[in-house]
Amino acid sequence: SKSLIRNAEVLNTVRDASKWGITTGDVQADYSVAFERSRKVSERLTKGVGFLFKKYGVHHIEGRARMLGPHEVAVGDDRIDAKNVIIATGARARTIPGIEIDGETVVTYREAIMQNTAPTSAVIIGGGAIGIEFGFVYNAYGAKVTIVEALPRVLPKEDEEISTAIARSFRKRGIDVLAGAVVSSVDRDGKRAVVRVGDQEGEEHALEADRVLVSV
């Protein structure tokens, strides 16, 4: 995601080049190239970690592990005994009951990071770090973006000043930020989706998009 963000930053800088007296003409952006670059960056980092494992004698086994007891781990046919076992499997995306993730139109972070096209319009459910990252990237590549956050402000875990600054910056870029809004349903309509959102005044809005990112 940080690689995609860097691509978006460069794209925005080139588009704003006239501020520095630089004329660029019509700027064309290919999201698939940004995607390929992000995969290469990820692969390079992975290989770098693998090299460090070999250098420092860390035995690396790929596979699905299961605990056989407090000091024994099974990976396929291998059995590993250890005094201490650390389980650090990371997290998985949280979903919203009643909203079906199809992996194409309605996606979580895992699917979004592996899609090689940017949407023309996107509704992002959840204004935390992931929602903010993808909102910035999609917007840079021309998508009409709406971010829906149930709590009173985006980035609710950060200082309020940061939330205010981000919301102001995003609105200047044409990103709609709906805070204190709750999604009631997401319905598929062909390759598009309709997201129904209730705002703080009790009114319901229907937002259409060709991609919905669930990042709660």
Side-chain angles (χ1 to χ4, degrees):
S1 66
K2 306 305 180 286
S3 173
L4 293 174
I5 289 170
R6 179 57 182 150
N7 267 77
E9 287 175 341
V10 171
L11 179 55
N12 285 334
T13 299
V14 172
R15 285 188 176 136
D16 295 338
S18 60
K19 293 179 181 178
W20 288 273
I22 301 171
T23 302
T24 59
D26 186 29
V27 178
Q28 301 294 323
D30 188 339
Y31 185 83
S32 66
V33 176
F35 166 78
E36 290 298 334
R37 177 177 170 274
S38 73
R39 292 298 87 207
K40 289 177 181 177
V41 169
S42 179
E43 183 181 359
R44 189 167 64 248
L45 291 172
T46 301
K47 287 182 177 178
V49 172
F51 170 77
L52 291 174
F53 278 176
K54 291 180 181 178
K55 181 179 178 180
Y56 293 105
V58 177
H59 184 40
H60 176 219
I61 302 172
E62 291 190 4
R64 187 178 183 88
R66 67 185 189 278
M67 297 295 301
L68 300 180
H71 303 288
E72 187 177 10
V73 180
V75 184
D77 294 330
D78 292 330
R79 297 293 185 270
I80 305 162
D81 293 318
K83 180 180 178 181
N84 299 297
V85 178
I86 299 173
I87 300 175
T89 54
R92 61 186 173 201
R94 180 183 175 189
T95 57
I96 301 173
I99 296 180
E100 181 184 352
I101 305 296
D102 62 25
E104 294 181 7
T105 302
V106 184
V107 300
T108 68
Y109 170 86
R110 284 187 174 275
E111 293 86 27
I113 202 74
M114 295 303 295
Q115 290 175 315
N116 63 0
T117 60
T120 58
S121 57
V123 173
I124 297 175
I125 304 173
I130 292 173
I132 292 297
E133 286 183 344
F134 275 95
F136 176 74
V137 171
Y138 288 161
N139 171 260
Y141 281 87
K144 172 59 181 173
V145 177
T146 302
I147 297 176
V148 181
E149 170 55 51
L151 293 176
R153 56 188 175 90
V154 293
L155 293 179
K157 293 184 179 180
E158 308 299 332
D159 291 343
E160 188 170 352
E161 292 86 350
I162 293 175
S163 299
T164 301
I166 283 287
R168 185 186 302 118
S169 172
F170 273 25
R171 288 185 176 114
K172 284 183 179 179
R173 293 189 176 278
I175 299 173
D176 291 332
V177 178
L178 304 179
V182 178
V183 173
S184 58
S185 66
V186 177
D187 298 312
R188 287 283 305 278
D189 182 11
K191 291 189 176 182
R192 294 179 64 80
V194 178
V195 182
R196 299 194 182 279
V197 180
D199 63 19
Q200 292 174 312
E201 284 71 40
E203 297 184 8
E204 187 174 81
H205 306 270
L207 308 174
E208 292 190 22
D210 56 18
R211 190 171 301 168
V212 177
L213 171 60
V214 179
S215 59
V216 294

